[in-house]
Amino acid sequence: MTDVIVAPSKEREAGLAGIGSHRKRKEDPRLIQGKGQFLDDLKLPGTVFGDFVRSPHAHAKIKAIRADKAKAVPGIIAVLTAEDLKPLNLHWMPTLAGDRQAVLAHEKVHFQNQEVAFVVGEDRYAVADAIQLVEVDYEALPVVIDPKKAMAPNAPTLRDDLTGKDNAGQGPRRHPNHIFNWSVGDKAATDKAFAGAAVTVKEDIAYQRVFPCPLETCGCVASMDPVRGELTLYGTFQAPHVVRTVVSLIAGLPEHKIHVIAQDIGGGFGGKVGAYPGYICSAVASIVIGRPVKWVESRMDNLSTTAFARDYHMTGELAADKDGKIRALRVYVLADHGAFNAHAQPTKWPAGLFSIVTGSYDIGAAHVAVDGVFTNKAPGGVAYRCSFRVTEASYLIERMVDVLALKLGMDPADLRRKNLIQPEQFPYKSALGWEYDSGVYPAALEKALKAVDYKGLRQEQAEKRKRGELMGIGLAFFTEIVGAGPTRNCDILGIGMFDSCEIRVHPTGSIIARLGTKSTGQGHETTYAQIIASELGIPSDDIMIEEGNTDTAPYGLGTYGSRSTPVAGAACAQAARTIREKAKKIAAHMMEVSETDLEWDVDRFQIKGVPQKTVTMKQIAMAAYSNVPAGMQHGLEATNYYDPPNFTYPFGAYICVVDVDRFTGETKVRRFYALDDCGTRINPMIIEGQVHGGLTEAFAIAMGQEIVYDETGNVLGASLMDYFVPTSVETPVWETDFTVTPSPHHPIGAKGVGESPNVGGVSAFSNAVIDAFAHHGVTHMPMPHTPWRVSEVCHRLGIDK
Amino acid sequence: MIPGNFDYHRPGSVDEAAALLGRLGEDAKVLAGGHSLLPMMKLRLAEPKSLIDLGAIAELRVIREKDGVLQIGAMATEAALIASDLIRRHCPLIAEAAALIADPQVRNRGTIGGDIAHGDPGNDHPAIMLALGASFVLRGGKGERVVAAGDFYRALFETAMKADELLVEIRVPALRPGTGASYQKLKRKVGDFAIAGAAAVIGIKDGRCGHAAIALTNVGPTAVNAEAAAALLVGKAIDEALIGEAAKLAMSACAPTADLRGPVEYKTRMAGEMTRRAIREALKRAKGG
């Protein structure tokens, strides 16, 4: 017990660099000095290399595969085909969506660049030479690329392996290329509202196929120890524990003999959640060969075969009163899932959380129907910073509100004002069944409008329009749904979507904490340490965070869907609180008082009313290993598995201003203001970094990114020559702002932010570009808003002369 | 993304390089900056048996001026062009255009000779060279010959160079007083090839156009010499209406192919718009603006 003059609480609190601190990221010293340990940095002794023979065809029968010449290349060890995997029953693997996916194409290929054979050799160069020498005889088949043609009566059947099966994992199918039909909402009430509505609008709104393009491509090193019978799988995994369970289930290895390790990861954005054929083939090859096998995707492999995002073809309808009060929303979606139904999201929802599509607005009735179809494109479906189809949903409603504003002749800001959910309506039950936790929407909108001088911008726009100049102002007021999720309705392969944290306080008062999530660049080592710092009064610098090793970390569902802070962050706080409870007992023992006489003060317990009588958490830590009360176990640690009671609902108001060159179709984002409300802000600098990154990706999607296929299924532009990744030259300057509405059900009130800027950003850019043409009666323009597409509109309107 | 096997040669002089090329012939590829060739090799679209790397030949990097003609070594990098006082003084257009090529890393490696000799219509120097009336010095087994830029480009990736010839020097007449030049390049992002580009060189005498040249980037199988558009300007006082007419003629000389940068019709229109902008700017500069 100390009996000294104690520094003021505020000073001590600042010294912790806990919740609210702008402290620098703990991971950056190693990352910015090139000392990160990424997958390809791993060099195990005796490693051999594997890579794929990929299909040039989008749809073809495989008549024969001849690998003799390839095997004759010096250094080549093995060439695996589906026939080799078949006896192990590994030529197909189950997908997270209840379908199956070819590991190596069996009898047929279903998309261009599909994996056909896996060549393993002593070095990458020999493997590259041998790949060229594997001869595959194909018989080309008719191709389906356009999802709108997939269910035509005469469409070719893509998945012969599903013939006779009326279920591909997510409900009944009504056509050989149909995957599922899913609907939600009150159809009768919605139809009734439309029938009686004064004003209705309808628009076809497509969200193109895109890909997140992380700096690091996917890869793994599989290392089988034949003596111990243990497989260590290093890889770029956003959800290492899930990978371990999946590998155990499909490879038949006992789960305790599988060690999955994810080191530093150079960006994931959802593309590193699922399992890829490279992982399975590397594991099989290592088991067969008895040496570590490394597989790393090339950029082109990554862009053309790793899980894509979007490809949602939506039709939105709004019904409203004359004064703009929205009465009902109706949405139909044709979802292109590619060749296999392999999207990664909570099992129950084939369209993810798309039913957040009523957005930030109080809409009485809504109905959504989604049909999923197969096409001859790479599988995937939810990657790219999108919280399970929330981006598509937010894009749809934010575009539709603008379409309605145009029809009503109302300002888009006024229309939003009129329809926003009001603060007193929270917790708000949406027409499609969600319970929004908290929000003060009108204040956020007004703050945003004031910050950019919205009235002034509209005035400037009116003047410019008189001069024939094009200027657009785009608004988005988005509501996210993140933190999947409550285990009563969220699971992956039956495993509830809780997450976990284990904290150990060492005798000297420093800490190691391990979590079931996995940072791919979000700064978990800093953020989680800040939460624990505030909860336990130990400086965040003295707290080490470890993730990604399934042998040491508690089981968790991983990082995606902005779930780390809402779920694992909550587990952090709860585990820390368990420790504090024990610490309090120890403190009472140390000070020989009753627990009820103690109160917590930043980093110590003090005797109520006697502020100089304190013991610090650091002193308690030592006591936990040397001087515990009778009957108490030694040590100071706790594990928490957190099952969130609800999702969290971050929101934000974004405003984008663009100038359009009517002669070339080029757009210039002059200003972008982003107000985010993610509840309690743990590290404002990290939040801003997340918002900057997310907005840059949103900008890329809205303005240029698209994975394009030609009619015969060739994937075009799958290289960074064509696929738009903006540099600092193209990227606009971001203005960030915030309001704080804590989540009432989260232990520290935090909501998550990683995906918000992408969810809200895309709509704001797109709305701005289209708004530039509003006075010409243009209601919608398809993304991405590349110069040529924008120029087409200028040309059609005759304003490019 | 790993090239096939090849032999690698690094000659120390032009003579040595020419001899090697004579001996290895069509099985060999000449390596300059490598920013076109190496990606093609990594994709195995090009699989030369031998590479002759010109990187060690110092004489090919020299930039000098002689009797009003700039003599630019074929291995001068884009970065060197941008930094050259001689080029800034005698033909700043070359430096301006070089700064629009790719990004700093590419410009530190990529060379003017490689850009010209590759025969890619997406490269920027070919149109610049056409507009400036440049000529190219080719060195083969039988000695040297000089080919005018206008006679150099035959078809996509096809030039007047023979299999045993090296491009060693680019000769560009210095801009005369009263002449303005401009290169306008529309691209999707920094580092990209042009959607369409236009180079214009205009000489003004007594308020009228004394001479004009217009050439276009990436809107045909080779760089396009828009002679009719240029001829329209000569002898006239250039105004907006005339610029519009010239742009139309330039558009009619285009034969682009559709790709992810846009369809044929758009690229053609953009060639017209770039032509308008290049003429306007060149005119302004010719008038001392």
Side-chain angles (χ1 to χ4, degrees):
Chain A
M1 178 161 45
T2 331
D3 195 340
V4 292
I5 296 165
V6 175
S9 302
K10 279 214 160 156
E11 243 171 65
R12 283 180 286 125
E13 204 175 321
L16 297 177
I19 292 174
S21 165
H22 290 69
R23 63 152 299 150
K24 286 183 177 167
R25 302 202 324 164
K26 299 177 71 160
E27 40 276 270
D28 283 347
R30 74 169 187 278
L31 294 177
I32 63 177
Q33 293 182 79
K35 302 294 182 193
Q37 179 75 12
F38 295 90
L39 188 274
D40 210 10
D41 294 323
L42 182 69
K43 292 180 170 63
L44 299 181
T47 298
V48 298
F49 298 83
D51 201 357
F52 288 105
V53 174
R54 294 178 181 275
S55 169
H57 295 278
H59 193 202
K61 270 188 196 161
I62 296 175
K63 311 277 279 185
I65 301 176
R66 289 180 299 279
D68 308 352
K69 288 181 195 162
K71 285 178 182 165
V73 171
I76 294 304
I77 299 164
V79 179
L80 299 178
T81 66
E83 291 305 321
D84 301 308
L85 298 181
K86 208 171 167 184
L88 307 167
N89 201 27
L90 285 175
H91 54 318
W92 292 87
M93 63 179 176
T95 69
L96 295 178
D99 188 13
R100 62 179 194 163
Q101 173 176 358
V103 173
L104 290 172
H106 182 235
E107 294 172 357
K108 266 179 83 171
V109 290
H110 290 94
F111 62 94
Q112 191 181 52
N113 287 356
Q114 189 180 340
E115 301 82 358
V116 173
F118 191 64
V119 179
V120 184
E122 294 287 346
D123 61 62
R124 290 180 167 145
Y125 309 96
V127 170
D129 288 342
I131 283 171
Q132 245 185 334
L133 297 173
V134 175
E135 298 165 321
V136 186
D137 296 342
Y138 296 100
E139 180 187 317
L141 295 167
V143 165
V144 177
I145 289 302
D146 182 354
K148 295 190 179 85
K149 295 177 182 164
M151 287 201 287
N154 59 348
T157 296
L158 306 188
R159 293 287 303 280
D160 310 71
D161 62 296
L162 295 177
T163 300
K165 290 184 184 157
D166 64 357
N167 195 314
Q170 289 182 311
R173 312 190 306 138
R174 62 173 190 269
H175 183 282
N177 298 333
H178 187 225
I179 307 173
F180 65 84
N181 174 269
W182 181 72
S183 63
V184 60
D186 187 335
K187 188 169 186 307
T190 306
D191 290 347
K192 195 173 159 215
F194 269 90
V199 183
T200 62
V201 285
K202 182 174 184 179
E203 196 70 50
D204 289 331
I205 292 170
Y207 202 132
Q208 76 274 19
R209 178 175 275 239
V210 290
F211 181 74
C213 201
L215 269 180
E216 183 192 25
T217 60
C218 292
C220 74
V221 174
S223 180
M224 183 71 190
D225 182 329
V227 177
R228 292 187 175 83
E230 294 177 18
L231 176 70
T232 306
L233 190 60
Y234 301 85
T236 50
F237 309 131
Q238 288 178 240
H241 285 95
V242 178
V243 170
R244 188 184 70 193
T245 303
V246 168
V247 170
S248 174
L249 291 173
I250 67 181
L253 285 169
E255 197 166 355
H256 69 289
K257 294 204 167 188
I258 303 170
H259 317 289
V260 174
I261 298 173
Q263 314 178 110
D264 284 325
I265 299 180
F269 312 110
K272 292 170 179 168
V273 173
Y276 293 112
Y279 305 161
I280 307 295
C281 288
S282 301
V284 170
S286 182
I287 290 167
V288 172
I289 299 166
R291 289 169 66 180
V293 178
K294 182 186 270 192
W295 164 74
V296 179
E297 281 178 332
S298 74
R299 180 59 62 187
M300 291 172 98
D301 297 343
N302 184 250
L303 276 165
S304 63
T305 68
T306 301
F308 74 94
R310 329 291 200 258
D311 221 339
Y312 249 36
H313 305 265
M314 307 177 275
T315 304
E317 292 175 83
L318 282 176
D321 297 343
K322 268 188 191 149
D323 66 356
K325 173 66 194 158
I326 300 171
R327 294 296 171 189
L329 167 70
R330 187 155 56 201
V331 185
Y332 174 72
V333 182
L334 183 63
D336 184 341
H337 282 223
F340 308 103
N341 189 26
H343 58 148
Q345 52 200 351
T347 310
K348 288 184 183 68
W349 294 306
L353 307 178
F354 184 80
S355 50
I356 194 70
V357 68
T358 52
S360 310
Y361 311 105
D362 182 22
I363 301 178
H367 185 259
V368 172
V370 184
D371 276 309
V373 295
F374 291 121
T375 58
N376 289 118
K377 303 184 203 169
V382 290
Y384 213 167
R385 214 167 186 149
C386 76
S387 336
F388 309 117
R389 303 281 190 203
V390 177
T391 324
E392 293 90 319
S394 184
Y395 185 63
L396 188 280
I397 186 66
E398 288 305 310
R399 277 274 50 245
M400 286 311 298
V401 169
D402 268 23
V403 171
L404 178 63
L406 194 61
K407 171 98 171 212
L408 291 165
M410 255 177 105
D411 186 286
D414 289 338
L415 185 57
R416 283 178 172 81
R417 247 183 212 125
K418 192 166 196 78
N419 289 286
L420 283 181
I421 299 163
Q422 295 301 304
E424 61 274 14
Q425 289 177 279
F426 286 90
Y428 173 79
K429 189 103 173 137
S430 82
L432 295 175
W434 299 113
E435 189 180 290
Y436 294 23
D437 58 351
S438 65
V440 185
Y441 292 177
L445 179 62
E446 299 310 325
K447 188 175 182 182
L449 295 173
K450 193 168 169 228
V452 300
D453 182 18
Y454 182 72
K455 269 190 187 164
L457 285 172
R458 285 292 177 200
Q459 243 164 18
E460 183 194 344
Q461 183 186 44
E463 284 157 21
K464 287 209 155 143
R465 282 177 176 173
K466 279 184 208 154
R467 298 199 297 268
E469 292 170 37
L470 298 172
M471 168 185 167
I473 304 162
L475 269 70
F477 197 105
F478 67 93
T479 294
E480 261 262 68
I481 170 169
V482 305
T487 57
R488 65 179 180 277
N489 47 22
C490 286
D491 70 278
I492 284 184
L493 296 176
I495 297 169
M497 291 180 73
F498 57 82
D499 225 291
S500 61
C501 174
E502 180 213 80
I503 302 175
R504 294 184 189 175
V505 185
H506 303 316
T508 54
S510 69
I511 289 175
I512 182 167
R514 297 186 169 108
L515 295 101
T517 48
K518 176 64 198 139
S519 178
T520 54
Q522 298 90 336
H524 288 180
E525 290 169 44
T526 310
T527 302
Y528 291 145
Q530 288 183 249
I531 295 174
I532 296 169
S534 286
E535 293 289 339
L536 290 182
I538 297 289
S540 53
D541 269 336
D542 295 343
I543 301 169
M544 180 158 112
I545 301 296
E546 200 181 270
E547 299 175 297
N549 184 332
T550 55
D551 284 345
T552 53
Y555 202 102
L557 275 281
T559 292
Y560 42 85
S562 295
R563 67 187 300 278
S564 297
T565 297
V567 191
C572 260
Q574 300 291 53
R577 286 171 192 182
T578 304
I579 287 175
R580 208 161 85 186
E581 283 308 304
K582 181 172 180 179
K584 193 176 188 183
K585 289 186 168 59
I586 298 171
H589 169 71
M590 290 167 79
M591 293 197 271
E592 298 176 341
V593 295
S594 158
E595 264 188 77
T596 53
D597 295 331
L598 294 178
E599 62 187 2
W600 176 252
D601 178 37
V602 182
D603 57 354
R604 64 195 63 211
F605 286 101
Q606 66 176 41
I607 297 174
K608 285 177 191 165
V610 195
Q612 71 275 25
K613 297 282 184 195
T614 68
V615 285
T616 64
M617 186 54 98
K618 212 171 158 172
Q619 292 168 316
I620 296 168
M622 187 56 85
Y625 294 86
S626 57
N627 175 26
V628 293
M632 180 185 275
Q633 287 184 18
H634 284 79
L636 196 54
E637 44 183 270
T639 303
N640 186 275
Y641 281 75
Y642 186 79
D643 181 2
N646 189 6
F647 290 86
T648 61
Y649 297 78
F651 60 93
Y654 289 180
I655 299 175
C656 173
V657 185
V658 298
D659 295 304
V660 179
D661 183 329
R662 62 198 170 97
F663 300 106
T664 60
E666 290 171 290
T667 51
K668 172 87 189 154
V669 175
R670 185 206 305 176
R671 191 160 185 200
F672 198 102
Y673 168 90
L675 179 150
D676 272 284
D677 191 321
C678 57
T680 301
R681 291 158 64 83
I682 299 163
N683 184 324
M685 180 199 72
I686 287 183
I687 291 171
E688 277 183 30
Q690 288 270 36
V691 173
H692 283 204
L695 288 176
T696 305
E697 288 184 327
F699 169 72
I701 291 170
M703 298 309 192
Q705 292 188 336
E706 184 173 20
I707 300 282
V708 183
Y709 290 81
D710 70 13
E711 280 175 4
T712 56
N714 294 307
V715 52
L716 308 177
S719 84
L720 296 186
M721 189 74 242
D722 280 306
Y723 194 70
F724 178 56
V725 178
T727 71
S728 57
V729 175
E730 290 81 34
T731 303
V733 172
W734 311 119
E735 294 171 56
T736 58
D737 203 349
F738 62 95
T739 55
V740 177
T741 315
S743 169
H745 63 75
H746 187 277
I748 60 166
K751 289 187 169 188
V753 76
E755 288 158 341
S756 290
N758 204 331
V759 168
V762 175
S763 324
F765 289 113
S766 198
N767 281 349
V769 173
I770 299 166
D771 180 66
F773 296 90
H775 57 307
H776 291 287
V778 174
T779 56
H780 184 65
M781 291 158 62
M783 284 196 294
H785 303 296
T786 56
W788 78 260
R789 286 184 184 202
V790 174
S791 169
E792 300 277 276
V793 176
C794 297
H795 193 60
R796 181 159 46 79
L797 296 170
I799 55 175
D800 61 341
K801 302 280 188 303
Chain B
M1 294 302 285
I2 292 172
N5 288 306
F6 56 87
D7 295 326
Y8 176 77
H9 304 272
R10 192 170 165 87
S13 69
V14 171
D15 287 345
E16 203 185 323
L20 266 170
L21 193 56
R23 181 157 59 79
L24 299 168
E26 298 201 347
D27 287 344
K29 273 275 179 194
V30 172
L31 177 67
H35 278 82
S36 297
L37 180 58
L38 296 187
M40 289 171 83
M41 288 172 65
K42 286 181 177 182
L43 294 168
R44 302 200 177 205
L45 296 172
E47 295 189 75
K49 286 190 182 147
S50 303
L51 274 191
I52 301 170
D53 183 353
L54 303 184
I57 308 176
E59 59 190 290
L60 286 181
R61 295 192 188 272
V62 176
I63 301 171
R64 60 185 159 240
E65 184 266 333
K66 199 178 163 193
D67 304 332
V69 175
L70 273 172
Q71 300 178 340
I72 305 169
M75 287 294 286
T77 62
E78 307 296 351
L81 301 178
I82 293 166
S84 164
D85 284 342
L86 278 175
I87 287 180
R88 292 222 167 259
R89 212 175 318 138
H90 295 290
C91 195
L93 181 67
I94 294 174
E96 275 179 39
L100 297 175
I101 294 171
D103 52 54
Q105 284 164 303
V106 173
R107 293 197 289 268
N108 284 334
R109 296 284 308 169
T111 65
I112 184 170
D115 189 282
I116 287 170
H118 189 49
D120 185 338
N123 286 352
D124 296 282
H125 283 300
I128 306 290
M129 294 300 128
L130 287 172
L132 291 172
S135 53
F136 308 140
V137 181
L138 308 179
R139 171 78 181 273
K142 291 170 193 157
E144 263 182 20
R145 65 184 178 120
V146 179
V147 177
D151 298 327
F152 188 71
Y153 293 104
R154 299 275 166 84
L156 188 67
F157 298 121
E158 241 185 86
T159 68
M161 282 171 72
K162 297 188 178 116
D164 68 340
E165 281 182 321
L166 282 172
L167 171 60
V168 292
E169 189 177 283
I170 294 94
R171 292 183 183 163
V172 185
L175 283 191
R176 282 169 291 176
T179 305
S182 172
Y183 184 57
Q184 299 288 326
K185 179 181 183 180
L186 179 67
K187 53 187 176 179
R188 294 175 298 183
K189 64 176 267 193
V190 66
D192 194 16
F193 289 106
I195 296 168
V201 178
I202 290 169
I204 295 292
K205 204 175 173 187
D206 304 330
R208 290 179 178 271
C209 176
H211 69 271
I214 296 167
L216 310 169
T217 297
N218 220 10
V219 283
T222 68
V224 175
N225 195 349
E227 288 164 304
L232 182 75
L233 302 178
V234 175
K236 302 192 184 86
I238 300 174
D239 60 10
E240 266 304 307
L242 191 66
I243 292 172
E245 288 306 307
K248 273 186 196 160
L249 288 174
M251 284 164 67
S252 66
C254 294
T257 48
D259 59 20
L260 296 179
R261 291 180 187 85
V264 168
E265 191 264 357
Y266 171 65
K267 289 183 169 187
T268 307
R269 272 195 286 116
M270 290 307 105
E273 181 60 23
M274 292 303 109
T275 301
R276 272 189 287 276
R277 291 180 184 190
I279 295 174
R280 279 184 206 132
E281 183 62 24
L283 185 62
K284 197 171 111 194
R285 291 177 177 183
K287 290 176 173 170

